Amino acid sequence: MTSHPAIEATGLEKSYGNGNARVRVLRGIDLRVERGTVFALLGPNGAGKTTAVRILATLTTADSGTARVAGYDVVADRRRVRGAISLTGQFAAVDEKQTGEENLRMMARLSGLSRADARRRAAALLDRFGLADAGGRLAVTYSGGMRRRLDLAAGLVGDPQVVFLDEPTTGLDPRSRQELWQVVRDLSARGATVFLTTQYLEEADQLADRIAVVDHGLVVAEGTAEELKNRVAGHRLDLVLTSREAYLRLASRAVHHAPENLTLGLPTDGTSARVRALLDEIDPDGTEVARFALRGATLDDVFLALTGAAPAATGHYQEQDQDQDQDQDQDQDQEPTHV
Amino acid sequence: MSDALASSRTHALTMAGRGIRLSRRNIDAVITAMMLPIMLMLIFVYFFGGAIDTGTEYVTYVVPGVLLLCAGFGSSSTAVSVSEDMKGGIIDRFRSLDIGGAPILAGHVTASVARNVVSTALVLGVALLIGFRPSATPAAALAAAGILFAFIVAISWLSAAIGLLAKSPEAAGGFTFFMMFLPYPSSAFVPIDTMPDWLHGFADHQPVTSVIESLRGLLLGLPVGSAPWVALAWCAGLLALALGLSGVLFRVRTA
Ligand SMILES: Nc1ncnc2c1ncn2[C@@H]1O[C@H](COP(=O)(O)OP(=O)(O)OP(=O)(O)O)[C@@H](O)[C@H]1O
Ligand SMILES: [Mg+2]
């Protein structure tokens, strides 16, 4: 085998519907994922993440553009691509009325393993995913986190080179999310290439070697977490303001808003000259800014600056952000699917 | 090529095993599919039977119709299971394992046939208990079983195609309703000549009638004429239609 990248896509476009109802879901996406790395496609609801994954996983075809996965063309060599990949979709794909073990054994048989090998493989996967004790129970009795792990295990029966995970942690509580992150790290340590989509900045930051930010069907930024943070503004100046008027006047320039304590975060490069100039400019009389703090930009800021949308999770600053994070999870659960 | 064939066979067998396992765990659906025809049989025999003159014991007249209603109703639930698969994420997973539409649908059809064999046997058992006395030669009984089997296979595939067509499992459930009512305008419960004239054309020529007439004739040792051939032709035609339709629909739905 030559050293081709695990995934290479050029100019992917895809629309749904006709005439006025036509939606351009992907508007020319280029991607390149090196083998053995973890790549995150980060974007808000409706950005086109699932569509991109489905094209790369050969489940749907692009209107134009080309893609190669594991060195094979996703259209011309569909069968070979399918032999090299696995997909764990956004919506659970296990039979609730089968036990964990039966689900895995079925997938193993479908991947071409003999009966005996399928049994061994199922047992090994249950063990690896911490489901050994639950293996004999119907999946309907599993918690959300267990089901997600089973779902992931079911995708791994065939030892895929490239693993697609579409929003693997959406709807999980923080602890299950941590467990799933560990699973992804293990996968990567075993040499698989992982392509995951997420709405969570923190997730991309934690797991991915490289990140592409998609919005409205376009890649609006691509790079390592570090590069992306640097691209927007190296730092953020957080200002605690003295009045609501000042807060409202400056709100439009901010990349971070916390109205409950009149705090705004403004982008800056962090040099003392610029910070001083910025403070002088917004508060010439020295009355409107009570306190300030300088911090390195986070992916949240990147996301906001690049997509213009509020991120799904606001990560690290405050305690209450964690709660907000969970609220978001529940929203996800209740949202009707777009099938 | 034979490699692909062997793996298709493994796929179909695995999918059939899945379907049967899921049916077993969804036993209430199987029981409903059985209870309904049994209830109808009891109602017809004990409530209406006395008022209906068919020239024979009413129970003897009605059992073939009930068997068919049971088969049609039971087979049509395939639409719901197929639709559920198409709606959930599992279809993507199957496809990413390079499993074709045919093995997936064949798995559902196999499970449906297995369910129907069980429920037909049970309905027949109840019929015997309440006084149904067939007078068929073994060959005729076998022929009747064969025709019923063909009907179950055809309706199950048709139902699978409907499951692909339906936008949701609830909509797919509508087909069950249709199959439950199709036997009424036929000779299932009352002779067709007691119906209004305008219904005769439909009732005489709809597929269910030829199947019932064959079952009745074969089970009761009456002359059947061409009915079995007409019935088999209907089943073959419906099956061919269903196979073609489901092939196309699967490709459309998964495009
Ligand atoms: N089969 C389809 N028919 C019509 N529109 C579709 C179809 N699939 C997706 N869309 C539309 O394409 C857009 C992008 O969908 P996609 O599922 O790729 O987004 P996403 O980034 O995965 O979003 P989410 O975070 O909600 O999962 C949405 O507006 C969606 O309604
Ligand atoms: Mg999605």
Side-chain angles (χ1 to χ4, degrees):
Chain A
M1 269 217 267
T2 51
S3 68
H4 52 76
I7 300 171
E8 200 173 15
T10 337
L12 293 184
E13 291 188 28
K14 177 88 181 171
S15 304
Y16 286 110
N18 299 309
N20 283 340
R22 204 167 120 100
V23 195
R24 291 185 67 198
V25 178
L26 297 182
R27 300 189 290 160
I29 284 204
D30 300 333
L31 296 169
R32 189 186 162 94
V33 181
E34 297 305 330
R35 277 195 282 172
T37 62
V38 178
F39 187 90
L41 199 60
L42 174 65
N45 280 134
K49 303 183 295 294
T50 298
T51 308
V53 166
R54 287 175 54 84
I55 291 171
L56 295 174
T58 76
L59 296 179
T60 189
T61 50
D63 299 337
S64 66
T66 57
R68 298 177 79 79
V69 172
Y72 306 115
D73 186 277
V74 292
V75 177
D77 254 336
R78 188 166 72 180
R79 187 149 282 182
R80 286 221 180 82
V81 173
R82 287 180 176 180
I85 64 164
S86 91
L87 166 70
T88 300
Q90 186 168 355
F91 305 105
V94 294
D95 282 323
E96 296 190 333
K97 292 290 182 74
Q98 292 201 77
T99 67
E101 202 260 348
E102 285 166 344
N103 267 296
L104 293 181
R105 207 146 35 90
M106 172 180 82
M107 289 302 168
R109 287 288 285 154
L110 293 174
S111 318
L113 268 59
S114 72
R115 247 173 244 285
D117 286 345
R119 185 162 295 127
R120 270 194 291 275
R121 188 93 182 105
L125 282 167
L126 286 170
D127 215 37
R128 179 170 149 202
F129 284 78
L131 293 169
D133 293 335
R137 258 165 45 201
L138 294 188
V140 70
T141 68
Y142 286 16
S143 71
M146 291 164 79
R147 216 175 288 191
R148 212 70 182 111
R149 273 181 281 150
L150 177 63
D151 203 7
L152 221 125
L156 301 180
V157 286
D159 245 330
Q161 299 170 41
V162 181
V163 180
F164 291 97
L165 306 175
D166 194 3
E167 299 198 17
T169 66
T170 299
L172 296 188
D173 64 28
R175 192 176 140 195
S176 308
R177 178 170 301 166
Q178 294 281 351
E179 286 171 358
L180 226 102
W181 286 354
Q182 197 48 50
V183 168
V184 173
R185 291 189 187 109
D186 288 348
L187 258 178
S188 171
R190 286 165 179 247
T193 307
V194 180
F195 184 105
L196 63 89
T197 75
T198 181
Q199 305 185 28
Y200 303 113
L201 304 153
E202 195 194 353
E203 183 157 290
D205 202 2
Q206 286 276 337
L207 295 177
D209 298 303
R210 293 186 75 79
I211 300 168
V213 182
V214 278
D215 190 35
H216 292 105
L218 286 173
V219 174
V220 292
E222 207 265 332
T224 63
E226 231 22 69
E227 282 167 5
L228 291 183
K229 289 178 204 170
N230 287 333
R231 236 173 100 169
V232 170
H235 292 79
R236 204 181 81 195
L237 185 65
D238 281 3
L239 308 171
V240 182
L241 301 165
T242 51
S243 70
R244 213 177 137 64
E245 290 67 44
Y247 179 90
L248 292 174
R249 184 166 58 79
L250 294 169
S252 64
R253 299 176 55 176
V255 292
H256 169 72
H257 302 82
E260 60 286 351
N261 40 22
L262 294 181
T263 301
L264 287 175
L266 273 64
T268 163
D269 64 2
T271 59
S272 98
R274 290 279 178 82
V275 170
R276 192 173 299 161
L278 187 61
L279 282 171
D280 283 343
E281 183 214 334
I282 59 182
D283 186 19
D285 306 330
T287 55
E288 295 192 322
V289 176
R291 269 170 295 146
F292 70 84
L294 193 64
R295 51 186 84 219
T298 67
L299 270 173
D300 300 9
D301 308 324
V302 177
F303 198 88
L304 199 60
L306 293 172
T307 69
T314 36
H316 334 272
Y317 308 119
Q318 296 152 336
E319 291 283 29
Q320 67 239 53
D321 281 343
Q322 194 60 36
D323 296 335
Q324 192 183 340
D325 199 71
Q326 284 175 25
D327 289 345
Q328 284 283 352
D329 288 351
Q330 279 156 15
D331 289 346
Q332 289 292 321
D333 269 356
Q334 286 152 8
E335 188 187 81
T337 67
H338 58 251
V339 192
Chain B
M1 201 58 227
S2 75
D3 232 28
L5 217 69
S7 86
S8 268
R9 207 186 48 216
T10 311
H11 289 170
L13 285 175
T14 309
M15 297 306 295
R18 165 183 184 247
I20 289 171
R21 218 172 299 132
L22 294 179
S23 299
R24 263 195 0 235
R25 307 232 163 109
N26 198 4
I27 200 77
D28 25 340
V30 181
I31 290 178
T32 321
M34 223 158 60
M35 284 314 287
L36 190 98
I38 290 177
M39 296 297 290
L40 279 173
M41 176 162 66
L42 297 178
I43 290 171
F44 270 96
V45 170
Y46 291 116
F47 295 0
F48 306 151
I52 303 172
D53 180 17
T54 56
T56 51
E57 273 295 303
Y58 185 66
V59 62
T60 307
Y61 179 85
V62 84
V63 164
V66 170
L67 288 177
L68 180 126
L69 181 112
C70 179
F73 183 60
S75 306
S76 58
S77 65
T78 310
V80 179
S81 22
V82 168
S83 178
E84 266 162 4
D85 268 9
M86 297 304 290
K87 183 183 151 209
I90 204 150
I91 193 73
D92 280 353
R93 164 144 297 152
F94 288 151
R95 289 179 60 223
S96 73
L97 285 173
D98 210 27
I99 296 157
I104 296 175
L105 298 181
H108 284 291
V109 170
T110 310
S112 167
V113 171
R115 282 196 305 271
N116 278 293
V117 166
V118 173
S119 56
T120 303
L122 285 166
V123 169
L124 198 60
V126 175
L128 290 169
L129 280 179
I130 63 168
F132 175 61
R133 294 290 172 268
S135 47
T137 62
L142 210 62
I147 288 173
L148 195 59
F149 185 81
F151 180 74
I152 290 170
V153 172
I155 297 299
S156 296
W157 265 108
L158 190 62
S159 182
I162 304 272
L164 294 174
L165 196 61
K167 291 264 185 320
S168 70
E170 292 74 26
F175 186 57
T176 320
F177 235 62
F178 176 76
M179 281 315 297
M180 200 167 76
F181 282 103
L182 197 57
Y184 286 85
S186 83
S187 62
F189 303 114
V190 295
I192 292 175
D193 29 293
T194 64
M195 296 176 191
D197 283 345
W198 56 268
L199 250 178
H200 286 194
F202 177 76
D204 276 333
H205 296 109
Q206 69 137 316
V208 163
T209 299
S210 62
V211 178
I212 292 176
E213 291 298 314
S214 314
L215 292 183
R216 188 174 287 137
L218 289 166
L219 290 177
L220 304 183
L222 307 170
V224 289
S226 62
W229 301 113
V230 176
L232 286 176
W234 264 115
C235 292
L238 286 175
L239 183 62
L241 174 77
L243 286 172
L245 199 63
S246 58
V248 173
L249 286 171
F250 190 84
R251 241 163 290 139
V252 170
R253 275 294 295 266
T254 56

